[in-house]
Amino acid sequence: MLLELLENALTRCSRPVRAMGYLPEAIGIRSRFRRVRDHWQPHIQNCRSLILRGMDRCSSRRKAVILGGGLLHDVPMAEIAAAFQEVVIVDIVHPCFSRWVTRKYKNVRRLAVDITNTVESLYWVSDEPEKHLPRSQPELFIDDPELDFTVSVNLLSQLPCMPMTFLSRQKAHSAKSINAYARDVIQAHLDYLDRLPGKVVLITDVERLKIDMMRRVVERKDLLFGLKLPKLGEGEEWEWQLAPCPEADPKHHFFRRVVGIAGWK
Ligand SMILES: C[S@@+](CC[C@H](N)C(=O)[O-])C[C@H]1O[C@@H](n2cnc3c(N)ncnc32)[C@H](O)[C@@H]1O
């Protein structure tokens, strides 16, 4: 607890990122991982081996980019760092103790960037009812001639989450325009992955499952706001035991259905 408070105080992030709660969310992921790591293990193994298969498709290995790398639980970091000349870990926030984990890789750097390109401008219109919410136009690395490999790892469904919670709290925008923002951000990320140079791997959760003690699914929530994931047929599916009971609820598990596509592009 003390370490978490210290990390919160020591990590640098912009006012919008802090206001939307990205930092405690990231620190919370690490704490949950520590509590339920055995339950996460199959998901982590699936992610890592799918990423390695995606990496095998790269004939040239100059630069690799990990989008949503965060704490890197789900990324085979040693293998990627050994295979590529340069690796960039992109995340909206890098808790300061996470930087410690990657310090031993001399060719790995962390970039704190909002991959949707909307968070800053959304923050400034969040309490103004008459102002339109921004459209997402990700441009990072699009013109990078050295980029050979990109992984979007457990990021896609997360992109609208913190902005949506923040907007709902501000009460200035309708549920309809907040949902439209969420769909736009997800669609823009998929289009962005298509536009990137080099090979691309996509791993994302697509559905939240609420499961009772009899192992019955009692509720399903679509995490992509009705958007259909293209290339689904080329992917693999598995369950991520994200929050086994009583982690988030005394009578239910909250799991995720995950899709991984080693050859997204
Ligand atoms: C579920 S976590 C991914 C798991 C992560 N690979 C790990 O092992 O901890 C989602 C990550 O996406 C990041 N993220 C959320 N919105 C983002 C945005 N707009 N731009 C960049 N990263 C974002 C979060 O900070 C978080 O680290």
Side-chain angles (χ1 to χ4, degrees):
M1 186 64 187
L2 199 60
L3 273 183
E4 292 175 4
L5 286 174
L6 192 64
E7 187 161 40
N8 201 10
L10 291 180
T11 302
R12 284 169 51 189
C13 51
S14 70
R15 186 161 150 185
V17 168
R18 198 167 278 277
M20 289 188 207
Y22 284 99
L23 182 53
E25 179 73 11
I27 295 173
I29 293 177
R30 186 171 48 212
S31 308
R32 173 168 290 173
F33 171 72
R34 287 192 185 127
R35 289 192 298 271
V36 299
R37 74 169 69 211
D38 289 349
H39 290 269
W40 282 26
Q41 220 47 53
H43 164 68
I44 284 173
Q45 280 316 324
N46 284 337
C47 292
R48 289 183 178 192
S49 60
L50 192 104
I51 293 169
L52 290 177
R53 263 179 285 134
M55 190 174 94
D56 285 344
R57 298 170 60 244
C58 298
S59 49
S60 169
R61 295 179 175 189
R62 290 164 301 169
K63 188 183 288 181
V65 168
I66 314 295
L67 303 172
L71 309 167
L72 298 172
H73 298 117
D74 39 20
V75 178
M77 201 56 232
E79 291 87 339
I80 296 180
F84 287 85
Q85 287 168 19
E86 185 186 358
V87 184
V88 187
I89 302 167
V90 177
D91 204 287
I92 197 163
V93 68
H94 297 277
C96 67
F97 295 149
S98 308
R99 294 185 182 270
W100 186 249
V101 175
T102 37
R103 77 198 180 286
K104 60 182 170 195
Y105 304 113
K106 298 298 170 226
N107 58 337
V108 173
R109 71 185 163 98
R110 287 181 176 266
L111 187 62
V113 142
D114 159 32
I115 199 68
T116 72
N117 228 342
T118 61
V119 166
E120 175 90 25
S121 44
L122 179 140
Y123 175 76
W124 295 111
V125 299
S126 61
D127 57 356
E128 300 201 39
E130 73 283 9
K131 292 270 173 71
H132 286 300
L133 295 174
R135 302 288 306 266
S136 178
Q137 288 179 323
E139 292 298 334
L140 196 67
F141 299 112
I142 287 290
D143 295 323
D144 189 332
E146 305 222 307
L147 182 59
D148 290 320
F149 187 45
T150 300
V151 184
S152 172
V153 57
N154 294 305
L155 168 71
L156 182 69
S157 71
Q158 297 302 299
L159 292 174
C161 289
M162 306 309 282
M164 286 182 85
T165 307
F166 186 71
L167 287 168
S168 304
R169 241 183 7 240
Q170 297 290 79
K171 296 189 168 59
H173 292 85
S174 66
K176 190 173 165 205
S177 58
I178 297 176
N179 276 339
Y181 165 80
R183 281 176 66 95
D184 172 63
V185 156
I186 289 174
Q187 186 61 57
H189 188 72
L190 295 174
D191 296 343
Y192 168 65
L193 296 183
D194 283 336
R195 286 161 57 225
L196 281 169
K199 307 287 189 211
V200 177
V201 170
L202 171 68
I203 300 174
T204 181
D205 45 358
V206 293
E207 202 174 37
R208 187 185 74 172
L209 308 172
K210 183 176 179 183
I211 297 171
D212 70 12
M213 292 297 101
M214 306 297 288
R215 243 338 195 131
R216 287 178 304 222
V217 177
V218 294
E219 196 181 292
R220 290 176 179 272
K221 181 172 188 273
D222 172 18
L223 299 175
L224 301 186
F225 295 84
L227 290 170
K228 291 284 160 264
L229 202 58
K231 310 177 200 189
L232 202 56
E234 297 158 42
E236 293 163 35
E237 275 191 39
W238 62 86
E239 190 178 76
W240 177 8
Q241 300 198 352
L242 178 70
C245 177
E247 181 64 21
D249 182 294
K251 291 190 179 152
H252 295 94
H253 309 291
F254 281 93
F255 293 168
R256 299 286 165 97
R257 189 162 68 84
V258 178
V259 172
I261 304 173
W264 175 269
K265 176 175 169 281

